[in-house]
Amino acid sequence: MNLLTIDKLTAGYGKLTILHDLSLKVEKGQYLGILGPNGSGKSTLVKSIFGLTDIFSGSIKISGQELVGVATENICKRGLAYVPQRQNIFATMTVRDNLLLAVRHLRRPKAHRALQDAYALFPILAERQQQSAGLMSGGERQMLAIALAWLGKPQIMLLDEPSAGLSPLFVIEIFKLLRRLCESGITLVVVEQNARSLLRWCDYAYVLREGKLAFEGSSSQILADEETVKSYLGVGGTAFSQRIAE
Amino acid sequence: MPTVLLIDSLVRSLQVGSLYALMALGLTLTLAVVKLPNFAHAELITLGAYVALVASFWGLNNLLAMLVLCFIVTAAVAVLSYKAVYKPLERRKPSIYTMILASFALGLILRYVLFLLVDRFDFFDKRIKIPLEIWYQSKTMILTNIFFWVVPTSLILIILLSLLLNYTNLGREMRALADNRALARVQGVQVERVYYFTWILAGGLAGVAGALWGIYTSINPLTGWLAILSVFAATVLGGMTSFVGTILGAYVVGLSENFVMQLLNHYLGLDFSFKPAIPFIIIILVLLFRPQGLTGFMDGFRTRAIRRQTNP
Ligand SMILES: Nc1ncnc2c1ncn2[C@@H]1O[C@H](COP(=O)(O)OP(=O)(O)OP(=O)(O)O)[C@@H](O)[C@H]1O
Ligand SMILES: [Mg+2]
């Protein structure tokens, strides 16, 4: 069954149209990748789901319910969570206050338990509790950002380049963590530029190019059919296809 | 310099600094959460003072009841000004300059309405009718009941506000909005609701501060406007959006205007009419040499301390 369905979405910023007539679907329990070169509209796509862009036409449905027109602050109630590409933590607040914000709807004992669960899943955060979140390393910040989204107990999590700018060790750590989250029953939509590392972990992927769908298929299909990907991405030898070929 | 003068100016610094802190916290709150440098904050202060004045003329002489009344009235006016002016404006996605001008305009309107009313009922330069009593007296110092009202009330309110900001969900939501509006919304923070609470707190605190100011000195429709420059100096000194910085900034401005002024007068013969220039000098110096204000300083210390902790 489709959990999230995007149908003929055209969206952008102000008068600028970035996404053109984009359709895609996410099945329950799927680990979906969104790939594409710089500026292809990957972030715009996930932002649109959270009402952070201007949507000109099309529909976005979660379990059959329309999301277009729902205010950003009410989207998390529909079982979605989103980890933005940049500025995805409250940098001036302590790690603990970040987490407490995410569990504020729960009663005391439940909130406490949720926090303990988060510390179990993200041990580094337990060590950094009292630290100002903005003073953490890139990898630690990313952990916190994922924890913030995870604490909302979402059915589906959207992550925008969770591995960007991290050391190779941390990248693997993040992808392992995401795999675990997926196995625990959360549907994942992960945006990546680094196609090779994502395709190793996800089930299915969409490739965007200039705001349009260029290609879709299971990870193995995409990895195998390198020629197709290259041709869809055009511009012989882009960094993207090189990265796939590596 | 005679000890009496020295101590007297320190006492005044403490008193005025506490009031500036109350006023500046409200200003910082709207600046940080709503992202609006609200110049009409000045008129909320004046309004608070006049509510207390009128109440005292009507025979209300319980100070606590008076402060509660002021809080309610000015909070209501603050919420109304948000509903009637800022919120409809915000829908048009205005630039910050539009918002600043709008707050100026609103402030002017409120001020001249106050002028009209004050003129009509002859309330110029009146003092709130609270009997003055001497509660402490020594060779070098006289402390009145007013001192014992102003300073502890301000401190209690400052402490309550910081408890609210640091240890409650509403406080965390306010700080989250101040920090990163988009992410706060993604996390489900109901922006509108938090804005209303912010306006209630900022407006109410301005009113209470105005009332306490009016107990401490005489008031007229320009009272808030004259104080707001010092209050902005405190906010700028505090780094614009930091609460701890704002409180420190308020006391530094209070000390500069009283204690430092007294020293300048005594040793350099500088006339007291120079006093209103002090907040301007502070603002200009801070913006020129330390635009991040006092907090950058403290964050610097904290960063270093943490670095030392994490890589010994
Ligand atoms: N807030 C904005 N206002 C106007 N244009 C924007 C905005 N954000 C992004 N764009 C433009 O939209 C296009 C797509 O950007 P988007 O961030 O979605 O790309 P992306 O695929 O996520 O790229 P990257 O890999 O660099 O993150 C770009 O041309 C960008 O300049
Ligand atoms: Mg992006």
Side-chain angles (χ1 to χ4, degrees):
Chain A
M1 200 201 95
N2 293 338
L3 185 57
L4 185 71
T5 322
I6 296 180
D7 193 33
K8 297 205 174 88
L9 179 71
T10 301
Y13 306 94
K15 291 199 175 92
L16 195 67
T17 306
I18 305 289
L19 300 177
H20 305 270
D21 227 14
L22 200 75
S23 299
L24 62 80
K25 53 188 194 299
V26 189
E27 281 162 33
K28 202 166 159 44
Q30 208 174 26
Y31 186 153
L32 188 83
I34 307 275
L35 301 169
N38 261 324
S40 56
K42 308 182 295 296
S43 296
T44 306
L45 174 62
V46 281
K47 275 195 224 164
S48 300
I49 299 173
F50 257 80
L52 292 166
T53 62
D54 297 306
I55 291 175
F56 306 124
S57 66
S59 89
I60 303 171
K61 286 196 171 119
I62 174 105
S63 316
Q65 281 185 309
E66 186 59 56
L67 281 182
V68 174
V70 178
T72 303
E73 51 263 50
N74 295 326
I75 299 228
C76 63
K77 289 180 200 150
R78 309 285 179 96
L80 288 99
Y82 165 46
V83 181
Q85 182 172 2
R86 275 178 279 271
Q87 300 182 341
N88 50 19
I89 55 167
F90 299 105
T92 59
M93 292 164 58
T94 63
V95 170
R96 196 179 152 77
D97 276 340
N98 268 270
L99 299 173
L100 282 174
L101 181 88
V103 297
R104 69 192 182 288
H105 298 304
L106 303 177
R107 290 182 172 283
R108 267 278 167 81
K110 272 197 175 165
H112 184 75
R113 220 171 310 132
L115 230 56
Q116 294 312 315
D117 291 347
Y119 289 143
L121 199 57
F122 308 90
I124 190 73
L125 300 181
E127 289 169 37
R128 295 277 184 267
Q129 277 188 61
Q130 300 305 332
Q131 191 165 323
S132 178
L135 297 176
M136 295 198 299
S137 75
E140 293 165 351
R141 280 164 171 248
Q142 210 60 41
M143 290 288 183
L144 177 59
I146 297 174
L148 284 181
W150 178 78
L151 279 169
K153 297 222 185 315
Q155 280 181 283
I156 178 166
M157 276 172 82
L158 316 169
L159 298 102
D160 198 348
E161 304 207 20
S163 76
L166 302 187
S167 67
L169 218 63
F170 247 121
V171 172
I172 293 179
E173 186 111 348
I174 295 263
F175 278 117
K176 273 189 189 155
L177 179 74
L178 293 181
R179 190 74 246 178
R180 273 176 70 188
L181 292 185
C182 183
E183 276 155 14
S184 77
I186 302 174
T187 308
L188 293 181
V189 176
V190 180
V191 170
E192 270 296 329
Q193 267 198 58
N194 190 343
R196 195 167 159 249
S197 55
L198 178 65
L199 287 171
R200 210 185 307 146
W201 297 92
C202 72
D203 312 325
Y204 197 87
Y206 287 85
V207 181
L208 296 190
R209 190 184 150 212
E210 292 172 4
K212 296 192 183 86
L213 198 61
F215 189 76
E216 69 176 283
S218 68
S219 315
S220 44
Q221 251 175 323
I222 297 185
L223 280 172
D225 202 358
E226 198 193 304
E227 272 312 302
T228 324
V229 175
K230 226 182 226 167
S231 69
Y232 273 111
L233 287 165
V235 203
T238 55
F240 175 74
S241 46
Q242 269 173 4
R243 239 182 267 131
I244 290 186
E246 257 170 29
Chain B
M1 193 161 98
T3 338
V4 184
L5 277 185
L6 196 79
I7 290 181
D8 180 58
S9 70
L10 279 174
V11 167
R12 255 186 298 127
S13 304
L14 184 63
Q15 207 155 331
V16 172
S18 306
L19 289 177
Y20 285 166
L22 271 190
M23 300 172 184
L25 279 175
L27 196 65
T28 303
L29 217 52
T30 35
L31 192 58
V33 179
V34 188
K35 309 277 185 270
L36 170 74
N38 183 23
F39 279 89
H41 198 69
E43 275 57 47
L44 296 175
I45 295 168
T46 317
L47 183 67
Y50 269 107
V51 170
L53 183 78
V54 172
S56 80
F57 273 72
W58 281 348
L60 181 70
N61 53 17
N62 179 321
L63 204 60
L64 192 62
M66 194 184 272
L67 294 182
V68 172
L69 179 71
C70 292
F71 189 100
I72 293 170
V73 173
T74 47
V77 172
V79 167
L80 268 178
S81 55
Y82 170 61
K83 261 194 112 108
V85 181
Y86 302 130
K87 194 175 144 191
L89 256 181
E90 215 170 52
R91 280 203 212 101
R92 297 159 185 247
K93 305 200 170 145
S95 73
I96 185 87
Y97 305 109
T98 314
M99 295 300 275
I100 291 176
L101 273 178
S103 82
F104 246 114
L106 183 67
L108 277 173
I109 293 168
L110 288 175
R111 194 185 312 160
Y112 286 98
V113 168
L114 274 170
F115 258 118
L116 281 177
L117 292 173
V118 166
D119 191 40
R120 171 76 180 73
F121 297 101
D122 197 21
F123 275 132
F124 273 108
D125 293 311
K126 289 276 165 39
R127 282 195 58 154
I128 293 170
K129 281 190 182 163
I130 292 283
L132 199 64
E133 293 160 25
I134 289 168
W135 281 14
Y136 175 86
Q137 190 165 18
S138 73
K139 258 189 241 129
T140 49
M141 188 167 27
I142 294 176
L143 295 179
T144 62
N145 54 340
I146 289 169
F147 177 85
F148 286 102
W149 266 104
V150 169
V151 177
T153 311
S154 310
L155 291 180
I156 288 170
L157 286 174
I158 292 168
I159 290 167
L160 284 180
L161 183 66
S162 35
L163 290 178
L164 176 101
L165 286 172
N166 283 304
Y167 299 106
T168 68
N169 283 332
L170 177 63
R172 275 186 280 269
E173 291 191 328
M174 286 174 141
R175 282 188 291 145
L177 259 183
D179 182 310
N180 186 336
R181 197 182 136 98
L183 186 63
R185 295 180 69 202
V186 165
Q187 280 289 328
V189 172
Q190 299 294 320
V191 179
E192 194 86 329
R193 182 176 151 272
V194 179
Y195 274 15
Y196 278 119
F197 277 112
T198 306
W199 282 108
I200 289 174
L201 282 173
L205 288 179
V208 170
L212 291 171
W213 188 272
I215 291 169
Y216 159 74
T217 164
S218 69
I219 53 176
N220 64 58
L222 286 177
T223 296
W225 181 245
L226 295 177
I228 202 77
L229 293 168
S230 308
V231 174
F232 262 104
T235 307
V236 170
L237 197 54
M240 303 295 269
T241 52
S242 147
F243 300 104
V244 183
T246 301
I247 297 167
L248 285 178
Y251 283 104
V252 171
V253 174
L255 270 173
S256 319
E257 288 182 0
N258 294 282
F259 179 62
V260 176
M261 184 65 231
Q262 189 81 53
L263 292 180
L264 290 175
N265 174 267
H266 195 263
Y267 292 108
L268 303 175
L270 193 65
D271 195 83
F272 277 104
S273 58
F274 181 72
K275 192 170 127 177
I278 289 180
F280 283 108
I281 294 173
I282 293 177
I283 290 179
I284 289 171
L285 287 181
V286 172
L287 289 180
L288 274 179
F289 298 109
R290 230 195 134 67
Q292 71 274 48
L294 291 168
T295 36
F297 226 44
M298 296 191 305
D299 287 342
F301 281 130
R302 223 185 310 149
T303 323
R304 255 169 275 149
I306 286 167
R307 281 216 195 100
R308 229 174 287 130
Q309 258 174 24
T310 41
N311 2 297

